[in-house]
Amino acid sequence: MDIKMPTKIRKKQEAAEKSGAEKVNPYNSESKKGKQVEKMFDSIAPAYDLMNTAMTFGLHRSWRDRALNAAIERAKTPLTVLDIATGTGDVAFRLADLCQKARIIGIDLSRGMLEIAKSRLFDLPYSIAGRINFEVGDSLAMTFGNGHFDLATVAYGVRNFENLRQGMAEIYRVLSPGGTLCILELSVPTNKVAKWGYNIYSRYIIPAIGRMVSGDKRAYSYLPESIAAAPQRDDMGKILRECGFKDIVWKSLTFGTVTYYLATK
């Protein structure tokens, strides 16, 4: 006789199996994190690029380029590139500039973000736009075949994975042997003075500005909560090794407020 587990008990068990940022949801604990993340980014899509520039004082472009240049150097000449959690396409467009022979696919859960990314294609010459494709995709269950990509990137997205190890395993699967993974993610400074300033800025100033600019009361409070809960530096490296990656290195930038990771399949 098959007896179904009561919903409340099942939810408690699922929560106990999660760790770190996987437990931190944008809105509530009732629905799956992936659906909440999709809803959140649909909500803030119109303000997303403006908020990125404002809250990082424009430094996000420098962080992006540092990480991507390091990844491309490791990947040699990547011809197939996957940008996961592509959002409005910022990383995908930069990859097209830096890898002039590569075909780039950007995937995201949020249709609202992807609409903005696709609209930006019309402003580009076909020599660039013709090499970029944006599509709805779930990082935990991708539709691509094994070993399809030479390089995979995730910028500010792993905190939002419903299951981090499952996401890393999927990325490992779709990378070709010797393929490179590049993760760029916000992090908490380890220096006491820098951490003090970061905590004030991230917990009070960013949420206040985010509420005014995006209109979403929760999205920019979720941001520092998910950053603090996510595995960082050596802890992230350990998870990557558990998922089969090797030659893992990480580097923190701007007093430790952002960290990029490189790993090889």
Side-chain angles (χ1 to χ4, degrees), residues 202-223:
S202 65
R203 293 179 184 178
Y204 301 104
I205 298 175
I206 287 178
I209 296 173
R211 282 192 294 270
M212 289 188 292
V213 174
S214 72
D216 191 308
K217 295 181 179 180
R218 176 63 185 146
Y220 288 95
S221 296
Y222 162 77
L223 175 66

Side-chain angles (χ1 to χ4, degrees), residues 18-112:
K18 295 180 180 180
S19 61
E22 295 166 351
K23 285 185 175 181
V24 181
N25 291 329
Y27 298 115
N28 56 62
S29 60
E30 296 303 314
S31 57
K32 288 185 176 293
K33 178 167 183 171
K35 285 295 182 184
Q36 294 185 51
V37 167
E38 179 184 351
K39 176 183 176 182
M40 178 183 72
F41 281 109
D42 282 345
S43 170
I44 66 174
Y48 182 78
D49 289 325
L50 174 61
M51 278 299 300
N52 268 4
T53 301
M55 71 183 184
T56 67
F57 304 100
L59 288 171
H60 66 293
R61 298 185 185 93
S62 172
W63 298 338
R64 174 201 65 195
D65 288 359
R66 289 280 297 274
L68 294 184
N69 282 318
I72 291 165
E73 182 178 354
R74 178 181 288 211
K76 303 288 193 294
T77 308
L79 297 177
T80 52
V81 183
L82 174 65
D83 184 38
I84 299 161
T86 194
T88 59
D90 181 66
V91 169
F93 291 121
R94 188 61 176 144
L95 283 165
D97 289 335
L98 297 172
C99 307
Q100 296 186 2
K101 294 183 179 180
R103 297 196 64 83
I104 297 143
I105 297 177
I107 66 169
D108 203 286
L109 289 171
S110 169
R111 288 172 171 78

Side-chain angles (χ1 to χ4, degrees), residues 6 37-38 85 92 108 116 132-133 138 160 166 172-173 189 192 224 227 247:
V37 167
E38 179 184 351
D108 203 286
I116 294 174
I132 305 173
N133 185 54
D138 185 349
N160 302 317
Q166 183 178 337
Y172 188 90
R173 180 184 67 78
K192 288 184 178 180
I227 295 169
D247 300 331

